[in-house]
């Protein structure tokens, strides 16, 4: 007897090898299998008379095999099976390449369903390698809307479709509904069983839409409950309140006066830390808004209270940069500061670890190394994570668990529309720095196409001639991606630039390099030993190179708006007039509209709101910029209304049953608890 937790090997047709291939996709149990949603669907629901089909059309036809299939061997490695099939309206030549076994699957005079692309040449129609099955097959893959799944090596659609069909037949009736009945009713959602059945094998497109809406709602609802619960739990967690030292001493030691927004964020965070509850606060501020100073102020406060702080950056190079800058600022005030990163020698690490354990350090700055298992802290009281979208919730908690309920400050430069922030940062309080330090210049932004290349090269030359540096960013090409446009590869592009400008020093960082080599090239650029840096990745988003005044983004249409904004934030950080050039040959309206927004405004929040309006929330979830567990369906889109509705309902439910202890909430509670433990939420 199978249930939801039964291993997928239980399914007919899934042996050891196929099971391993499925495991690769995160599918282990029957529950995983039926939660493995299709990537897209093919509409094979209606049959067309052969004579009505048009060239290049994907169609289903129902036809009788009119002659005995002939197998011929054209040459070594090339077998062909050929026959003709007819219906009342006409005939079609069917050909299979290198599938000699199909010869015996067809019997002359019997009726089959075929799905595939029609080619028309003169009066003749043909189909190559169509999907086929006998017309009287049950649970077939023609004559209906068919699910198409993401595959891994060793799997095929037919196998997965049949496996999911069996999975559904086995356990559809066991699936516990995580949504309370009153929510299903008040939000007019489809029933649970209906949703699972129709997300895989939709009866029609209307049923598919109902199923999708229900399952997206469910995902977001579970997430909202999980975050809401985390928030509840932490509000109840008490900590020893800090005694607020007078900040004027700190402010007086700064080389500039802080903006009103910076001060407000500091005050809000201080109020948390002095309240007796644990702080869990997000500081959201555009690139260059001065978030580091907010962190510095809180570190200083902890030091005044005799407490230790840890500052976690996503990359070596950022850790180094913060280490240099914060040391410059805080050491003269008396703080003892150390660095801990993976790249340090074992001996150096040992020394720092000893100091951390004995509490002889007031601030440690580092990378993931900060929460490796052999690091112990005495009195860790404040944990700061920078650029938090690069850390998963789990990594954050790994560091938090090193202290006894330390205060947590998360800093993010990814502007998130308020509607989404509700969900994404559901477990945090938020301070927004909505003001830039005075005297910041706007980065002039232009969208150009290939025809500007010569002028663009002239501009690079001019900038470098006056001593400025240039960033060039190329999109990362995903593996297995079917490309319709030619993308600039970073390595090729760097080589082309080096040839174009023999007098300039060109460096390149790309995704396949080792972290150490990447950091070395970055360091050369930071120190001014390179004029042009070509990069594929946006790993180094936080890097500060005040001398860089030109940012060129190739195939700009391939980047999300928020990403473009982040990249642009790398220039305009010094006294020099700075420029951002978006190179794109994309002609579609949406791409043009998006690039135009970039040219029109430098305001990150406005850009993110526009992006949300243009593309819907799927992009925000899809880009995994939030550190939350992976969404299955919400990644694919959905709309803001569903998001808000799920959030509201979750809140109402938690008010009624804070701990999800009621028996009717058991399934929900289990899902909520699985959410953060099962998903791999690290994406570094
Ligand atoms: P981000 O918010 O992107 O992390 P940073 O903290 O790196 O921004 O600050 C960007 C730059 O602005 C730094 O060089 C920092 O010294 C400077 N800065 C921060 N606050 C102020 C301020 N109030 N006035 C002038 N410059 C400031
Ligand atoms: Mg920063």
């Amino acid at each position: 007897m199978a249930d939801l937790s039964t291993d997928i090997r239980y399914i007919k047709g899934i042996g050891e090898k196929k099971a391993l291939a499925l495991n690769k996709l995160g599918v282990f149990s029957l529950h995983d299998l039926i939660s493995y949603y299709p990537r897209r669907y093919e509409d094979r629901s209606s049959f067309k008379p052969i004579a009505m089909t048009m060239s290049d059309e994907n169609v289903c036809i129902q036809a009788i095999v009119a002659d005995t299939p002939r197998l011929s061997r054209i040459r070594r490695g090339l077998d062909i099976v050929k026959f003709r099939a007819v219906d009342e309206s006409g005939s079609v030549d069917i050909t299979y390449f290198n599938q000699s076994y199909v010869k015996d699957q067809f019997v002359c005079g019997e009726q089959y369903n075929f799905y595939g692309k029609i080619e028309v040449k003169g009066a003749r129609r043909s189909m190559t390698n169509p999907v086929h099955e006998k017309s009287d097959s049950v649970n077939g893959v023609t004559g209906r809307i068919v699910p198409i799944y993401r595959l891994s090596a060793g799997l095929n659609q037919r196998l997965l479709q049949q496996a999911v069909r069996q999975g559904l037949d086995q356990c559809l009736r066991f699936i516990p509904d995580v949504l309370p009945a009153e929510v299903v009713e008040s939000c007019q959602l489809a029933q649970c069983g209906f949703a699972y059945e129709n997300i895989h094998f939709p009866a029609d497109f209307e049923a598919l839409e109902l199923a999708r809406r229900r399952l997206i709602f469910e995902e977001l609802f579970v997430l909202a409950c999980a975050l809401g619960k985390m928030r509840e739990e932490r509000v109840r967690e008490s900590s020893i309140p800090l005694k607020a030292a007078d900040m004027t001493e700190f402010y007086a030691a700064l080389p500039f006066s802080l903006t009103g927004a910076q001060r407000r964020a500091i005050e809000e965070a201080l109020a948390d830390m002095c309240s007796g509850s644990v702080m869990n606060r997000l500081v959201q501020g555009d690139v260059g808004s001065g978030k580091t100073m907010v962190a510095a102020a809180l570190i200083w406060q902890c030091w005044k209270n005799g407490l230790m702080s840890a500052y976690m950056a996503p990359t070596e190079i950022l850790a180094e940069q913060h280490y240099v800058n914060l040391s410059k600022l805080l050491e003269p005030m008396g703080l003892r500061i150390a660095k801990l990163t993976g790249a340090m020698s074992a001996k150096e690490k040992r020394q720092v670890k000893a100091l951390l354990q004995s509490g002889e350090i007031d601030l440690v700055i580092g990378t993931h190394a900060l929460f490796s298992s052999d690091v112990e802290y005495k009195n860790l009281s404040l944990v700061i994570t920078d650029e938090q979208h690069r850390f998963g919730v789990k990594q954050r908690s790994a560091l938090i668990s090193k202290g006894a309920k330390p205060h947590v400050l998360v800093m993010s430069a990814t502007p998130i529309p308020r509607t989404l922030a509700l969900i994404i940062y559901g477990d945090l309080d938020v301070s927004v720095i909505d003001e830039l330090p005075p005297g910041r210049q706007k980065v002039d932004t232009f969208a150009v196409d290939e025809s500007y290349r010569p002028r663009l090269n002239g501009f690079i030359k001019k900038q470098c001639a006056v001593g400025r540096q240039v960033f060039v960013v190329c999109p990362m090409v995903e593996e297995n991606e079917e490309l319709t446009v030619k993308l600039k590869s970073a390595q090729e592009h760097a080589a082309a630039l080096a040839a174009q400008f023999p007098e300039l020093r060109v460096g390149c960082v790309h995704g396949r390099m080792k972290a150490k080599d990447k950091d070395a090239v970055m360091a050369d650029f930071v120190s001014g030993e390179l004029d042009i840096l070509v990069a594929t990745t946006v790993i180094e988003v936080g890097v500060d190179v005040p001398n860089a005044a030109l940012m060129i983004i190739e195939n700009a249409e391939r980047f999300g708006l928020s990403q473009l904004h982040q990249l642009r934030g790398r220039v305009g950080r010094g006294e020099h007039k700075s420029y951002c050039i978006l190179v794109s040959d994309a002609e579609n309206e949406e791409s043009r509209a998006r690039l135009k927004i970039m040219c029109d405004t430098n305001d990150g929040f406005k850009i993110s709101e526009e992006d949300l309006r243009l593309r819907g929330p799927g992009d925000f979830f899809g880009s995994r910029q939030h550190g939350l567990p992976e969404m299955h369906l919400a990644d694919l889109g959905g709309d803001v209304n569903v998001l808000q509705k799920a959030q509201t309902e979750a809140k109402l439910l938690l008010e009624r049953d804070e701990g999800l202890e009621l028996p009717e909430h058991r399934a929900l509670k289990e899902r909520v608890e699985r959410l953060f433990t099962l998903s791999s939420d690290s994406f570094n």
Side-chain angles (χ1 to χ4, degrees), residues 182-369:
E182 66 272 16
V183 173
V184 173
E185 195 173 322
S186 75
C187 297
Q188 297 178 318
L189 299 170
Q191 294 297 325
C192 176
F194 175 93
Y196 275 99
E197 173 67 30
N198 281 280
I199 198 72
H200 292 288
F201 299 102
D204 52 41
F205 281 103
E206 201 182 329
L208 174 59
E209 202 36 51
L210 287 172
R212 269 178 58 91
R213 195 170 106 74
R214 145 83 194 210
L215 293 170
I216 289 176
F217 183 97
E218 186 178 307
E219 269 193 326
L220 294 171
F221 180 80
V222 170
L223 177 63
C225 284
L227 293 171
K229 219 163 146 273
M230 274 164 70
R231 188 194 190 95
E232 284 302 319
E233 280 161 17
R234 116 184 120 64
V235 166
R236 279 199 307 270
E237 265 181 30
S238 56
S239 74
I240 300 168
L242 247 61
K243 274 178 58 188
D246 187 0
M247 291 298 302
T248 31
E249 187 188 333
F250 175 80
Y251 291 149
L254 297 181
F256 37 69
S257 53
L258 294 184
T259 62
Q262 282 171 313
R263 281 172 189 256
R264 200 170 53 240
I266 292 169
E267 277 157 26
E268 284 166 357
L270 266 185
D272 293 349
M273 288 166 49
C274 298
S275 71
S277 292
V278 173
M279 170 171 80
N280 237 307
R281 183 167 287 276
L282 169 78
V283 172
Q284 221 186 12
D286 218 338
V287 276
S289 61
K291 292 182 289 294
T292 321
M293 283 302 144
V294 176
L298 303 183
I299 293 163
W300 183 84
Q301 272 289 342
C302 282
W303 167 68
K304 277 280 175 188
N305 280 263
L307 302 170
M308 189 197 292
S309 306
Y311 190 121
M312 180 160 71
T315 63
E316 296 269 338
I317 184 105
L318 277 177
E320 176 64 29
Q321 201 172 303
H322 285 307
Y323 176 66
V324 171
N325 290 338
L326 287 170
S327 299
K328 223 186 286 171
L329 181 75
L330 296 172
E331 247 165 18
M333 302 181 191
L335 280 79
R336 297 162 298 175
I337 303 176
K339 186 177 75 170
L340 184 63
T341 69
M344 285 161 54
S345 73
K347 190 176 153 206
E348 289 172 311
K349 278 189 238 178
R350 238 185 351 260
Q351 283 168 346
V352 173
K353 281 180 219 164
L355 292 173
L356 290 174
Q357 198 173 11
S358 61
E360 289 166 78
I361 290 289
D362 303 306
L363 167 64
V364 62
I365 298 167
T367 53
H368 302 76

Side-chain angles (χ1 to χ4, degrees), residues 359-535:
E360 289 166 78
I361 290 289
D362 303 306
L363 167 64
V364 62
I365 298 167
T367 53
H368 302 76
L370 288 179
F371 56 82
S372 43
S373 55
D374 58 345
V375 184
E376 283 174 40
Y377 296 85
K378 188 174 174 185
N379 261 339
L380 178 60
S381 304
L382 172 61
V383 167
I384 298 166
T385 56
D386 194 6
E387 307 295 345
Q388 83 79 236
H389 54 279
R390 301 202 166 265
F391 295 106
V393 171
K394 227 153 106 188
Q395 290 166 306
R396 225 199 295 156
S397 34
L399 183 53
I400 292 167
S401 67
K402 296 276 180 185
K405 298 182 194 155
H407 297 290
V408 176
L409 185 75
V410 169
M411 301 199 290
S412 172
T414 311
I416 298 203
R418 263 167 226 291
T419 34
L420 293 188
L422 269 182
I423 288 261
I424 291 178
Y425 295 122
D427 70 320
L428 302 171
D429 297 311
V430 182
S431 296
V432 178
I433 308 188
D434 51 4
E435 183 183 356
L436 292 181
R440 279 294 154 75
Q441 300 186 22
K442 169 172 170 295
V443 177
D444 283 346
T445 306
F446 304 95
V448 304
D449 60 25
E450 271 310 315
S451 69
Y452 280 74
R453 185 67 63 190
R455 277 203 258 172
L456 187 52
N457 284 338
F459 194 47
I460 294 176
K461 205 168 167 155
K462 212 165 110 194
Q463 285 289 321
C464 293
V466 296
R468 298 290 80 75
Q469 287 165 284
V470 180
F471 280 109
V472 180
V473 177
C474 299
M476 190 142 60
V477 181
E478 304 280 341
E479 262 179 273
N480 309 330
E481 196 178 8
E482 300 159 36
L483 286 182
T484 47
V485 284
K486 172 90 182 91
L487 294 183
K488 288 249 172 337
S489 117
Q491 283 146 292
E492 283 168 29
H493 195 50
L497 286 169
Q500 173 90 28
F501 305 112
E503 71 285 9
L504 297 178
R505 298 156 302 175
V506 180
C508 179
V509 286
H510 56 83
R512 283 179 298 279
M513 282 165 79
K514 286 203 196 99
K516 214 170 132 196
D517 299 334
K518 245 188 257 178
D519 281 353
V521 178
M522 277 310 299
D524 282 347
F525 189 67
V526 173
S527 66
E529 269 154 61
L530 292 172
D531 301 295
I532 302 176
L533 181 73
V534 184

Side-chain angles (χ1 to χ4, degrees), residues 575-625:
E575 75 247 43
H576 313 292
K577 175 76 207 155
S578 299
Y579 304 88
C580 176
I581 315 284
L582 308 169
V583 187
S584 173
D585 271 345
E587 274 163 7
N588 72 67
E589 228 169 89
E590 193 200 293
S591 297
R592 302 314 310 174
R594 292 172 57 233
L595 297 184
K596 184 168 181 307
I597 294 169
M598 289 299 297
C599 300
D600 290 347
T601 179
N602 271 259
D603 179 334
F605 281 96
K606 213 156 159 190
I607 289 171
S608 74
E609 297 283 355
E610 282 295 314
D611 205 16
L612 179 64
R613 197 177 57 77
L614 280 174
R615 298 209 282 184
D619 192 50
F620 287 87
F621 284 107
S623 64
R624 307 277 284 117
Q625 292 259 313

